[in-house]
Amino acid sequence: MPDIQADDAFGTMLALTDTVAPWAVRVAATLRLADLVAPGGAPADAILKGLEAAGERVDQEAVRRLLRYLASLGVFEYDAASELYRPTRLSELMTEDSPVSMRDWWRMDSAMCRLDQTPTLMMEAIRTGEPVYERIFGRDVWADLAQHPPLAASFEQAMAHKTRISLDSVIAAVDWRARGDVVDVGGGHGLLLQAILKISPQARGTVFDTPAGVATARAHLAGSPVAGRIAFAEGDFFGRWPAGADTYVLMNVLHNWPDDQVVRLLRRGAEALGPTGRLLVVETVVGGAGDQRSLARLDMMMLLFCGGKERSRPQYDELAARAGLTITGSHPTSFGLAILELAPAGTTPAGSA
């Protein structure tokens, strides 16, 4: 009699070690196959004609095999009677104009696809404790993005998507209206700052980022109802921050860096805060709310591509203390993130949790 438990374990391990599905999805996203499958469905011949019209050089039989495989995964639905491929909720994530589109995460020419190649050198990362991105692409991830504006743009798009889907939960977790001027450090598209100012009619804000980041924010915020209350400051967040604001925000920044760099960053925050300011750090926290399996995966990715890490609350307490700060409150969000409220060591700002 077969060992059912062993069979189940074998199937699970096959799924865990599969390397075909992830790249099939990325190829589909790059070729815009989801956009070529019309809402009512499309036969393979029509999809191939769409690829030809788009100037894509492909082997027709290989595309047919890819479509069959994607249908077996549930990315598309195949109707054998009509020979039509139909869209699914999964393929919707790859369409260009969908509000939930994550195509920029999966395109073969995107920054996120580069990051996803780093696990091929995981053994080296485990032996050394160092990131391996530079071994593959010739320079560290931040230098690579700086040297390739299209890559940097795709990275910003992916990060903006991540911010967008978590934004409501972040805004709901803290009383942003209780404070005045806000500086979004490494603000990217300015999505968080825009949301804060919408519910804080008396406040003004500043996006503080690299020149490329500021250009992105300017373009995104140009038509915003709060554009008149937003300023822009170019700089390096390891350098001096704009001083004099009541609130400084770091969202999904600290996990990109090793401990010593995080302390450097937080020290810059401590310098800018003054005695009554607050620094809000938005990050996932190991052992807190949220999907810990996904967090463990993300922690491995941070090691592989940049040498950063996901941290526990005690680890954040230690890093804050080294920077002359103290965590005066922790605000969980429904999205699995936490908002850590930091203030100069020895102070307790009013309204902290």
Side-chain angles (χ1 to χ4, degrees):
M1 175 177 264
D3 186 341
I4 300 300
Q5 288 186 332
D7 288 348
D8 287 348
F10 180 66
T12 298
M13 287 301 292
L14 283 179
L16 287 174
T17 55
D18 175 38
T19 60
V20 180
W23 294 103
V25 168
R26 287 171 176 81
V27 170
T30 305
L31 294 176
R32 301 176 186 268
L33 294 184
D35 291 299
L36 295 175
V37 177
D45 285 346
I47 296 170
L48 286 165
K49 287 180 181 178
L51 290 172
E52 182 181 1
E56 296 287 358
R57 297 179 59 186
V58 296
D59 179 87
Q60 293 195 3
E61 177 60 21
V63 171
R64 293 177 188 276
R65 293 165 70 177
L66 174 63
L67 288 169
R68 286 197 296 270
Y69 179 55
L70 291 168
S72 77
L73 297 175
V75 174
F76 298 117
E77 181 181 282
Y78 181 65
D79 183 343
S82 63
E83 298 186 339
L84 295 180
Y85 287 94
R86 302 185 191 278
T88 66
R89 291 181 63 188
L90 297 182
S91 65
E92 184 185 2
L93 295 173
M94 290 191 290
T95 56
E96 187 71 27
D97 58 356
S98 169
V100 295
S101 178
M102 292 181 66
R103 181 172 173 268
D104 283 324
W105 283 71
W106 298 316
R107 285 178 13 229
M108 295 288 283
D109 60 348
S110 72
M112 302 308 288
C113 188
R114 287 202 176 205
L115 303 188
D116 287 340
Q117 294 176 58
T118 57
T120 60
L121 294 183
M122 185 179 290
M123 180 62 81
E124 181 172 334
I126 296 302
R127 292 193 188 282
T128 66
E130 299 292 332
V132 295
Y133 186 99
E134 187 171 355
R135 284 289 307 276
I136 300 174
F137 299 108
R139 53 175 65 90
D140 71 60
V141 62
W142 310 118
D144 199 31
L145 294 178
Q147 289 290 320
H148 296 92
L151 269 186
S154 72
F155 183 79
E156 288 293 340
Q157 281 292 104
M159 294 303 100
H161 177 84
K162 185 177 179 180
T163 298
R164 193 175 289 112
I165 62 178
S166 62
L167 198 52
D168 288 347
S169 68
V170 170
I171 292 298
V174 173
D175 185 7
W176 301 98
R177 293 167 297 182
R179 300 291 177 139
D181 294 350
V182 181
V183 175
D184 190 349
V185 181
H189 281 62
L191 292 169
L192 177 57
L193 183 61
Q194 177 179 246
I196 294 169
L197 295 185
K198 281 182 178 179
I199 62 169
S200 308
Q202 304 305 314
R204 301 186 65 83
T206 299
V207 174
F208 176 50
D209 210 327
T210 63
V214 164
T216 297
R218 284 186 185 277
H220 176 78
L221 297 170
S224 170
V226 300
R229 292 188 281 134
I230 296 179
F232 301 90
E234 295 181 0
D236 176 356
F237 49 42
F238 288 108
R240 291 193 178 277
W241 296 7
D246 300 297
T247 298
Y248 294 81
V249 184
L250 281 168
M251 183 170 181
N252 294 323
V253 171
L254 297 187
H255 72 160
N256 291 321
W257 301 96
D259 288 352
D260 288 346
Q261 296 291 74
V262 168
V263 172
R264 280 185 61 202
L265 229 164
L266 291 178
R267 282 176 180 158
R268 288 304 191 183
E271 292 170 0
L273 278 179
T276 60
R278 65 176 179 172
L279 170 60
L280 298 180
V281 170
V282 185
E283 295 281 357
T284 51
V285 176
V286 174
D291 182 349
Q292 294 300 303
R293 177 177 175 177
S294 295
L295 183 54
R297 177 196 174 278
L298 179 58
D299 186 46
M300 287 301 302
M301 287 302 300
M302 303 311 291
L303 165 63
L304 293 168
F305 86 85
C306 66
K309 65 174 72 171
E310 304 304 317
R311 296 175 171 91
S312 66
R313 171 61 190 271
Q315 287 174 312
Y316 277 117
D317 283 323
E318 178 190 354
L319 296 176
R322 287 173 57 187
L325 298 166
T326 185
I327 298 178
T328 61
S330 178
H331 310 267
T333 75
S334 59
F335 191 77
L337 294 165
I339 304 175
L340 303 177
E341 188 163 357
L342 283 69
T347 66
T348 307
S352 65

